[in-house]
Amino acid sequence: MSKMAADPKLFSGADKDMMFGMAQQEMEYRVDLFNRMTQTCFEKCVARNYKESDLNVGENSCIDRCVAKYWQVTAIVGQMLGSQKPM
């Protein structure tokens, strides 16, 4: 770990504001990603006519696969964006 990452006293006020803004953006991105994943997998996997209070085996399995694929794709896209050379 670098000294700067270990000691927040080394950052100026502007640096702290920028880091806070970046952390806030990251949190908003994560919340949005989670909400979109939840909505997508729910619409795809859960029957519209609720018969039981719990998910059945098929719905559980579908949601597990859907979430796994969503995270795989997110990781792949992140890797692809991270490997692109800046302009």
Side-chain angles (χ1 to χ4, degrees):
M1 184 182 290
S2 73
K3 278 190 171 185
M4 289 185 76
D7 190 0
K9 290 181 240 168
L10 296 175
F11 294 111
S12 70
D15 289 339
K16 287 179 185 178
D17 289 344
M18 184 180 75
M19 289 175 62
F20 180 76
M22 289 171 59
Q24 188 173 8
Q25 280 184 322
E26 179 69 15
M27 181 61 86
E28 289 171 3
Y29 165 76
R30 297 275 179 184
V31 168
D32 182 57
L33 179 67
F34 178 79
N35 289 336
R36 283 186 286 126
M37 178 189 66
T38 302
Q39 185 69 31
T40 299
C41 293
F42 181 84
E43 288 174 359
K44 180 180 178 188
C45 297
V46 179
R48 296 278 183 248
N49 53 346
Y50 301 110
K51 297 177 186 174
E52 303 169 14
S53 61
D54 295 331
L55 296 173
N56 64 38
V57 175
E59 291 168 334
N60 254 330
S61 179
C62 179
I63 288 172
D64 285 344
R65 285 191 311 270
C66 181
V67 169
K69 286 179 183 178
Y70 210 94
W71 284 121
Q72 274 183 323
V73 169
T74 300
I76 291 168
V77 169
Q79 287 174 349
M80 292 173 70
L81 290 174
S83 68
Q84 289 181 350
K85 295 183 176 161
M87 294 181 174

